[in-house]
Amino acid sequence: MLSASVTMLGTMTVLVGYSSKYGATEGIAERIASVLRDFGIPTDARRVASVRNVSDYSVCIVGSSSYLGSWRPEASRFVRRYRSELATRPVWLFSSGPLGIAQTGAQHLREVTEARPKQFDEFVETIRPRGTQVFYGALYPERLDRRDRLVRKMPAGFEILPAGDFREWGAIEAWATGISGELVHTFAETK
Ligand SMILES: Cc1cc2nc3c(=O)[nH]c(=O)nc-3n(C[C@H](O)[C@H](O)[C@H](O)COP(=O)(O)O)c2cc1C
């Protein structure tokens, strides 16, 4: 049974397509891809802008950082452009955004819920992903462009957008492990 699922997994390639302005989301995408590869699942982590053909992939995981409540435009464009291909494949979406260390479970839940990018409702409707997830992100002040530095200087900006790396690697790996389990199961069943 195990050898049958490994054979089936060999015939599928997963795309982890991402949009990352300063590198935080790229790191999350790379970690997700590495977990899938540990399960023997062939996986490419690529910037969405460099993906030419979604049909090359049997499964797509798409992620972007969120700025002012929205996914980055190139990530939204990607999902809209390939809507029909994505709607016929297993798809998961993730977003990286909230910053800081939540003091309580309730605060964590509230921050993750509030950071859900506004495009997720549309994409749930159009491509019916198997899951959507928001992860805490990272902010490196020295990398910010002029506009983002100015946004941070607005009232409460430094509180809402603290500097640091708040990515929760355990939660990211657990999510990727869940997807890997589903894929092993699904592709073994099609055998
Ligand atoms: C100007 C600015 C606005 C931001 N707005 C949001 C936001 O609305 N929601 C959110 O969850 N995170 C927000 N963030 C945090 C980023 O999404 C977070 O730093 C993310 O991990 C950055 O990923 P990247 O380096 O891959 O672009 C903002 C960050 C900056 C600098």
Side-chain angles (χ1 to χ4, degrees):
M1 184 62 181
L2 182 64
S3 64
S5 35
V6 169
T7 311
M8 287 310 295
L9 291 173
T11 65
M12 96 167 130
T13 306
V14 175
L15 170 70
V16 183
Y18 63 87
S19 173
S20 178
K21 191 167 182 184
Y22 301 112
T25 313
E26 180 174 8
I28 295 173
E30 293 287 359
R31 185 67 63 92
I32 291 169
S34 142
V35 170
L36 267 71
R37 287 187 203 114
D38 284 346
F39 276 83
I41 303 170
T43 305
D44 288 346
R46 303 182 54 171
R47 292 186 171 274
V48 286
S50 75
V51 177
R52 292 283 160 258
N53 198 351
V54 167
S55 308
D56 294 343
Y57 298 97
S58 11
V59 175
C60 296
I61 300 170
V62 186
S64 170
S65 38
S66 181
Y67 287 86
L68 305 177
S70 273
W71 249 19
R72 302 196 70 223
E74 62 173 8
S76 296
R77 266 199 308 275
F78 176 84
V79 173
R80 291 183 186 124
R81 178 180 307 152
Y82 294 110
R83 189 179 54 198
S84 32
E85 287 90 339
L86 294 173
T88 53
R89 286 166 170 69
V91 171
W92 283 264
L93 305 178
F94 71 91
S95 190
S96 95
L99 300 166
I101 295 167
Q103 300 304 315
T104 63
Q107 184 191 352
H108 189 281
L109 182 61
R110 193 182 60 248
E111 288 182 350
V112 160
T113 306
E114 284 174 0
R116 197 176 153 83
K118 63 177 174 222
Q119 289 78 14
F120 271 14
D121 284 348
E122 173 196 332
F123 298 156
V124 164
E125 190 80 17
T126 54
I127 60 168
R128 306 237 163 252
R130 289 196 185 189
T132 59
Q133 186 68 41
V134 171
F135 295 118
Y136 276 67
L139 186 149
Y140 313 99
E142 68 284 359
R143 295 187 194 170
L144 298 185
D145 65 19
R146 200 169 152 271
R147 183 175 160 274
D148 288 344
R149 278 171 206 247
L150 283 174
V151 172
R152 259 186 111 219
K153 282 186 184 152
M154 284 164 64
F158 290 104
E159 269 167 59
I160 298 166
L161 301 171
D165 186 349
F166 306 100
R167 290 171 294 179
E168 297 178 315
W169 297 112
I172 292 161
E173 288 173 3
W175 190 69
T177 299
I179 293 174
S180 303
E182 253 189 75
L183 294 179
V184 170
H185 187 67
T186 306
F187 281 79
E189 271 183 353
T190 59
K191 171 80 179 147

